Amino acid sequence: MRYRVVLVVRLKEGLLDPQGKAVEGALPSLGWTNVSHVRVGKDVELVVDAVDEAAVRAQVEEMAHRFLSNPVIEDARIVEVAAEVAGAPGSP
Amino acid sequence: MSGRGPRVGVVTFPGSLDDRDALRAVALMGGEPVAVWHADPDLRGADAVILPGGFSYGDYLRAGAIARFAPVMEAVAAFARDGGPVLGICNGFQVLCEAGLLPGALIRNRGLAFVCRWVHLRVEPRPRAGRASGGPTDGEPSGDLAIGAPGEVLQVPIKHGEGQFVCSDEDLAAIEANGQVALRYCSPDGVVDERFNPNGALDNIAGLFNEAGNVLGLMPHPEHAVDPDLGPTGGQAVLRWLFDAARARARVAG
């Protein structure tokens, strides 16, 4: 089976997120004065061939731990695992 | 190593910038510079290694995250585990943290801006002996060496966007208890204070040893501060540490 996975990586809570701070500081100048606690992260989208969803999750979690995030400063969370339907747009 | 200065390997990754300055600094200090390529399987017989500054692999994913998987890094890690002296400068410091050879991580500067200027660094004491003056004595493990005299102030430039050293509370407690802090940002007369912290680094940490004392990472650039014709020479003490550590290790090995 082929799965599309989205992983979100963010700086840990409690660590100052300078990008989030910069965005938060700019929002009021555009008129949005009611926004706080902005955090900026990144998402990693990938397609994994594996036997089932559990195998995909296990593999992506290990990839996140060893490479795609730095556990010293970041949290990584799988936010989407979707089986790709053969013949659907985007699948080979 | 014989009568000459130590052979110092400088690793070039795709995106390294300061490798040539590092090679030149090694030569200027009397060492024998050896260019090492990221795809090399070994360290070309080096007695010490420098991971230079720059933006290896474009800082993609995280600074240093991809460089740590370069083929040569296996040799660097084995060399470090064996007590070989390794100096990581700026991006090299980030690579060492990513590789788990140093604790903690470097994140974007507190003030968001890229900082490029001269700073003052206070040399911190090493825990096990007074190595303030003179070179290492026979049989002294390289891990006992300090960068200079404790309290000495070195002037060295910084140029980085992601130099804020962070780590867990437990790691910080261990780092301080073990005397692993090598250098702290300070005033010109050696006062360590938040006002002189250019990037928000925990405890003003500018440079850090591993627990064994043979791996040193720092954000400032000693290779840019060795030539008296070009300004302050605070970087000499750092390179001298690397040379002394290589000599001490060779002596112990007999």
Side-chain angles (χ1 to χ4, degrees):
Chain A
M1 282 289 287
R2 170 161 280 211
Y3 296 85
R4 181 172 300 274
V5 184
V6 180
L7 179 80
V8 167
V9 180
R10 273 201 226 142
L11 281 175
K12 278 186 192 300
E13 291 292 332
L15 263 188
L16 174 72
D17 170 12
Q19 281 190 90
K21 268 265 173 296
V23 170
E24 194 171 318
L27 287 169
S29 66
L30 295 167
W32 290 297
T33 54
N34 60 341
V35 184
S36 63
H37 298 84
V38 178
R39 314 277 296 171
V40 176
K42 56 190 155 198
D43 71 32
V44 183
E45 184 180 315
L46 23 88
V47 172
V48 183
D49 291 311
V51 287
D52 58 21
E53 184 176 328
V56 171
R57 285 183 179 273
Q59 184 186 334
V60 172
E61 262 157 33
E62 193 188 345
M63 286 161 55
H65 188 76
R66 289 180 53 197
F67 180 44
L68 298 175
S69 74
N70 180 344
V72 176
I73 49 172
E74 294 170 323
D75 288 322
R77 199 160 47 94
I78 296 172
V79 293
E80 190 184 320
V81 179
E84 293 222 315
V85 183
S91 60
Chain B
M1 195 166 350
S2 72
R4 301 197 43 152
R7 275 172 72 83
V8 179
V10 177
V11 178
T12 298
F13 298 101
S16 292
L17 296 178
D18 301 317
D19 42 344
R20 296 179 71 157
D21 268 28
L23 289 163
R24 181 175 179 277
V26 167
L28 212 71
M29 295 286 296
E32 185 188 341
V34 181
V36 177
W37 186 236
H38 66 98
D40 283 346
D42 59 58
L43 298 171
R44 301 185 178 230
D47 305 308
V49 177
I50 296 177
L51 303 184
F55 297 87
S56 59
Y57 301 90
D59 273 358
Y60 289 170
L61 197 60
R62 297 175 304 279
I66 298 179
R68 70 151 293 194
F69 292 108
V72 76
M73 283 305 296
E74 260 182 57
V76 171
F79 182 71
R81 276 195 299 271
D82 193 42
V86 177
L87 172 64
I89 302 167
C90 196
N91 189 225
F93 186 7
Q94 295 162 337
V95 173
L96 290 172
C97 288
E98 281 285 341
L101 293 170
L102 288 174
L106 286 311
I107 64 171
R108 194 165 294 276
N109 297 341
R110 181 177 49 191
L112 302 178
F114 190 98
V115 284
C116 183
R117 60 182 165 90
W118 288 85
V119 294
H120 293 90
L121 306 171
R122 190 180 77 185
V123 173
E124 296 300 295
R126 296 287 290 144
R128 282 189 295 277
R131 287 144 301 253
S133 55
T137 55
D138 279 352
E140 184 178 28
S142 56
D144 283 353
L145 293 167
I147 286 175
E152 190 182 338
V153 176
L154 309 174
Q155 215 182 344
V156 180
I158 54 170
K159 42 167 197 170
H160 58 247
E162 299 183 34
Q164 181 182 174
F165 177 77
V166 295
C167 64
S168 66
D169 293 345
E170 304 85 76
D171 278 352
L172 185 62
I175 285 165
E176 293 287 3
N178 297 338
Q180 286 173 245
V181 179
L183 298 162
R184 292 185 213 266
Y185 300 109
C186 68
S187 72
D189 50 359
V191 176
V192 171
D193 186 276
E194 265 306 308
R195 285 173 296 156
F196 308 105
N197 188 338
N199 53 29
L202 285 174
D203 288 5
N204 280 40
I205 291 173
L208 183 68
F209 287 110
N210 65 345
E211 208 177 332
N214 64 305
V215 176
L216 170 64
L218 75 171
M219 287 313 297
H221 287 265
E223 80 282 16
H224 297 332
V226 291
D227 188 341
D229 287 343
L230 298 175
T233 55
Q236 289 186 359
V238 179
L239 283 161
R240 218 173 285 127
W241 167 82
L242 188 68
F243 287 18
D244 286 348
R247 289 194 189 97
R249 181 164 178 260
R251 250 193 303 273
V252 170

